């Protein structure tokens, strides 16, 4: 066999073997970590994205893994930012936050905030509490500790137990729409680490009052109810009109350069019809 | 000899000794264990009582660990702080406790605030009273104590609850030392428990008939009806004198029953062991002693010169191999013996007979005569000697050759044997000389000699189909009375000499005749 024929045979063999090596590599890529986009952070993340996920995964042929359900037990904006910072080629991540970040923090961390929606903070009381509506200033007075008995807001002669989840104390928004600083909050209160604990404490104490985001999903046996604030329910309409005062901003946050798939997914989340249906379901006000 | 020195006897003796030893050991151990059990039971009661005290201490530590677990629960302390400082409804505390510690084993739980309010367990007024009596809030100490409440004797474990270094109150949980506990402990201790108060039994695992009975142990024992129990008090740490006392009890009847059970076990063991030894003994006798006995019998017979028919066995063990080898050896020995006997007989024949004629030789005459003479003397008989010599035998040799002479001798020998009685002995004593030893007096000898002479004369010897006439001369003599003083060899010499003289006389008288002499008288049968 001449050298020319040997070279030709080698080329044919290589070209024939390419499909056998390439196909498994692609299959591995599709099922491996490189194909996964992970998201973590505030509680609302899984509630919104969990409903959008099937369509997004189908459209982009990517696996979206969300740790949102666990966030109900305590993960928050810090966890969302941490997750976003893990983003790198082959390991695509994004986070969820419920606070508008400061410009300093955005610049310092190299973050990009993609606003999603405005969410109402619901005021919760125990189901046995006869109070259904509390004026705005009285809500604030209760949280400040100026009002300490339910009879002062038309309820029974019972002391008021304030439950607070004092998350993201250095960022604006959220509970700060009720009372601007922690120092101004009533000191003899029950502090908790998750929205689920807020609900639990208000369920336990007949005298309890607390606040949680509108995307929280109640279980049937929880003994809490949402009260109106100055006659206003925490609806999208009242949020949009600016009448309902207690709100927080929900956003997706990313770090550095993001892949085309992730950018498209975020864009779809923000603008898709499905997202608007979810927002409508939880009385959210989309930012786009 | 008192005992037979046999292997079988020794084996039986060993088995008997082994059996006796087994029985002795069992009897000794039964006797020893009975005393030991009784003694140990006495010691055991104190030991078990101490064990139960140890168990109570362990349960107390466990109870205290549980109360500290409640005390250290952060949400609960927060709830308590809020509920006590704001004076809210206690339902929140109850809900949280149920959620967090609903699984925790405790008979009763009380959360008593420093202001005296019971956030949990308000219905347990007796426990709260006991807490107020025993616990000093200002000391804020963890503690444990027993008290007698509506549920009976209870151990209470108390821990102070603080929130941010602020003393809120105490949490207390209790464990009842009651029926359930006593029954569980009874199972472990293999005895019974009695709780007594003011000299009466208020709780016991002994049964209802003991309830309410007076309890006054004398010498660490109590008795009722036919039952007697050994008892020891179980000390309750931190219990004051007003509380009930707890006792561990062990039934004497149960103890006896246990000893009897042990005795029965030992008897069963002895019976099984004894049967086992007997079986082994039987098998040993059957498999070793019997074939060995058979072997010994055969060896004895062999040593006595007999070679019995010793069949080989089909057993392929060591003794079977030995038996078969021995049987083979006996068989070979028997064959050798038969061969030796045959050779011996041949040698004997060669030593006592004449090779040509087959008649006895002179050597045998010397050997036989003393026996016959002695026998004749015992019977008061005499022996007669007939000496015979062929007439002119040299002439036959000269005329026909020595071969013819030999055949003539054979011919005469045959006539001698044919004419003799079975009791007569015929000897060839020289070339053509013969001697016949007749048991009886001379008359018989004369008759026999004449018969031989006549037969020879009438029966010529045939050589090369030619008849050759032959005659012989005979001298006959008998043993005499005076011979009795002589030894047998001298007698033979004497009688032979006389017969020889008679033979010489017969030759001189013309041959072919019988001559005998009695007391010097010479008589011829043919003259």
């Amino acid at each position: 066999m001449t050298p020319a024929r040997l070279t030709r045979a080698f080329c044919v063999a290589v070209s024939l073997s390419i499909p056998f090596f390439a196909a498994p590599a692609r299959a591995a890529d599709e099922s491996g970590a490189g194909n996964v986009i992970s998201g973590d952070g505030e509680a609302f993340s899984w509630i919104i994205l969990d409903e959008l996920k099937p369509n997004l995964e189908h459209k982009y042929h990517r696996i979206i893994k969300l740790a949102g359900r666990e966030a109900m037990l305590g993960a928050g904006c810090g966890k969302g930012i941490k997750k976003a910072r893990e983003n790198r080629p082959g390991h695509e991540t994004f986070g969820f936050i419920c606070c508008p970040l400061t410009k300093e923090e955005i610049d310092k961390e190299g973050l990009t905030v993609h606003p999603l929606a405005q969410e109402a903070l619901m005021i919760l009381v125990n189901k046995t509490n006869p109070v259904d509506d509390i004026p705005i200033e009285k809500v604030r007075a209760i949280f400040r500790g100026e009002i300490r008995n339910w009879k002062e807001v038309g309820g029974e002669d019972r002391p008021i137990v304030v439950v607070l989840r004092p998350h993201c104390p250095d960022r604006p928004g959220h509970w700060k729409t009720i009372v601007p600083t922690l120092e101004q909050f009533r000191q003899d209160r029950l502090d908790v680490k998750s929205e689920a604990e807020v609900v639990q404490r208000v369920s336990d104490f007949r005298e309890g009052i607390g606040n949680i985001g509108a995307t929280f999903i109640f279980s049937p046996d929880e003994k809490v109810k949402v009260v109106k604030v100055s006659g206003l329910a925490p609806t999208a309409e009242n949020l949009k009109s600016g009448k309902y005062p207690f709100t927080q901003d929900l956003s997706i946050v990313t770090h550095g350069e993001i892949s085309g798939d992730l950018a498209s997914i975020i864009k779809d989340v923000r603008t898709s019809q499905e997202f608007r249906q979810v927002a409508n379901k939880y009385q959210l006000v989309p930012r786009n | 000899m008192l005992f037979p020195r046999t292997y079988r006897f020794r084996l039986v003796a060993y088995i008997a000794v082994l059996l006796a030893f087994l029985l002795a050991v069992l009897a000794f151990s039964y006797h020893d264990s009975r005393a030991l059990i009784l003694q140990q039971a006495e010691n055991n009661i104190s030991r078990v009582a101490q064990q139960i005290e140890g168990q109570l201490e362990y349960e107390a530590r466990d109870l205290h660990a549980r109360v500290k677990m409640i005390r250290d629960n952060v949400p609960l302390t927060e709830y308590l702080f809020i509920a006590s400082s704001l004076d809210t409804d206690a339902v929140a505390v109850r809900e949280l406790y149920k959620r967090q510690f609903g699984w925790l084993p405790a008979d009763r739980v009380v959360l008593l605030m420093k202001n005296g309010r019971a956030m949990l367990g308000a219905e347990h007024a007796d426990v709260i009273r006991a807490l107020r009596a025993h616990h000093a809030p200002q000391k804020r100490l963890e503690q444990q104590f027993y008290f007698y409440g509506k549920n009976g004797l209870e151990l209470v474990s108390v821990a102070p609850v603080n929130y941010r270094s602020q003393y809120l109150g105490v949490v207390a949980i209790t464990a009842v030392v009651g029926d359930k506990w006593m029954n569980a402990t009874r199972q472990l201790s293999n005895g019974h428990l009695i709780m007594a108060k003011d000299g009466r039994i208020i709780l016991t695992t002994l049964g209802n008939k003991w309830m309410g009975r007076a309890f006054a142990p004398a010498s660490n024992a109590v008795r009722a009806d036919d039952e007697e129990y050994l008892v020891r008090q179980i000390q309750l740490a931190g219990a004051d004198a007003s509380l009930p006392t707890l006792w561990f009890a062990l039934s004497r009847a149960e103890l006896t029953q246990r000893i009897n059970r042990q005795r029965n076990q030992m008897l069963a063991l002895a019976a099984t062991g004894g049967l086992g030894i007997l079986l082994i003994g039987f098998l040993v006798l059957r498999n070793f002693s019997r074939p060995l006995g058979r072997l010994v019998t055969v060896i004895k017979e062999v040593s006595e010169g007999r070679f019995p028919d010793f069949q080989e066995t089909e057993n392929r063990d060591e003794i079977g191999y030995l038996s078969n080898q021995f049987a083979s050896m006996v068989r070979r020995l028997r064959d050798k013996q038969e061969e030796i006997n045959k050779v011996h007989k041949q040698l004997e024949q060669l030593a006592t007979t004449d090779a040509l004629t087959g008649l006895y030789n002179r050597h045998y005459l010397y050997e036989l005569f003393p026996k016959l003479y002695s026998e004749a003397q015992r019977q008061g008989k005499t022996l007669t000697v007939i000496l015979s010599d062929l007439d002119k035998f040299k002439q036959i040799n000269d005329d026909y050759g020595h071969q013819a002479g030999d055949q003539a001798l054979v011919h005469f020998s045959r006539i001698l044997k044919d004419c003799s009685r079975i009791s007569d002995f015929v000897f060839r004593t020289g070339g053509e000389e013969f001697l016949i030893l007749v048991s009886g007096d001379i008359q018989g000898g004369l008759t026999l000699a004449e018969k031989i002479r006549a037969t020879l004369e009438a029966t010529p010897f045939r050589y090369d189909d030619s008849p050759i006439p032959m005659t012989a001369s005979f001298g006959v003599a008998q043993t005499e009375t005076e011979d009795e003083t002589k030894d047998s060899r001298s007698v033979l010499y004497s009688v032979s000499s006389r017969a020889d003289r008679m033979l010489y006389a017969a030759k001189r008288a013309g041959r072919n005749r019988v001559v005998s002499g009695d007391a010097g008288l010479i008589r011829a049968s043919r003259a």
Side-chain angles (χ1 to χ4, degrees), chain B residues 83-218:
Chain B
S84 61
S85 61
L86 302 181
D87 197 23
T88 66
D89 197 319
V91 70
V93 176
R94 285 201 296 272
E95 286 295 319
L96 180 69
Y97 181 84
K98 204 190 320 175
R99 210 166 43 246
Q100 301 270 23
F101 299 108
W103 54 272
L104 197 71
D107 287 314
R108 296 198 275 181
V109 184
V110 171
L111 279 165
L112 188 63
M113 298 294 97
K114 65 182 175 185
N115 60 8
R117 184 182 172 198
M119 285 288 181
L120 197 65
E123 66 276 21
H124 307 311
D126 53 341
V127 180
I128 292 169
R129 269 198 306 278
L131 275 174
R132 283 176 181 148
H134 285 86
H135 184 69
Q138 66 277 15
K139 291 187 182 171
R140 300 183 186 181
L141 295 175
E142 296 172 4
Q143 65 175 145
Q144 286 188 308
F145 59 87
Y146 285 94
F147 88 105
Y148 191 67
K150 66 175 186 182
N151 289 352
L153 187 66
E154 274 182 277
L155 173 64
V156 186
S157 205
V158 189
V161 180
N162 297 307
Y163 179 74
R164 292 177 185 170
S165 305
Q166 184 183 342
Y167 175 70
L168 298 179
V170 292
V171 56
I173 62 173
T174 73
V176 177
V177 183
D179 265 343
K180 195 176 165 187
W181 180 86
M182 286 171 86
N183 281 316
T185 308
R186 179 201 178 290
Q187 301 292 327
L188 295 174
S189 64
N190 210 16
H192 288 279
L193 288 162
I194 297 170
M195 192 182 283
K197 191 171 190 299
D198 303 329
R200 301 235 160 241
I201 295 175
I202 57 169
L203 208 58
T204 179
T205 57
L206 289 170
N208 287 336
K209 71 173 183 178
W210 285 80
M211 293 289 279
R213 287 198 176 188
F215 182 77

Side-chain angles (χ1 to χ4, degrees), chain B residues 437-480:
Chain B
L437 199 56
V438 179
S439 179
D441 61 11
I442 200 162
Q443 283 306 320
L446 283 169
T447 306
L448 175 61
E450 181 52 33
K451 183 182 173 184
I452 295 168
R453 189 203 61 77
T455 306
L456 179 65
E457 189 177 28
T459 315
F461 161 60
R462 296 188 74 82
Y463 186 74
D464 287 341
D465 291 333
S466 301
I468 301 170
M470 281 177 68
T471 61
S473 299
F474 299 86
V476 182
Q478 68 174 9
T479 53
E480 302 296 344

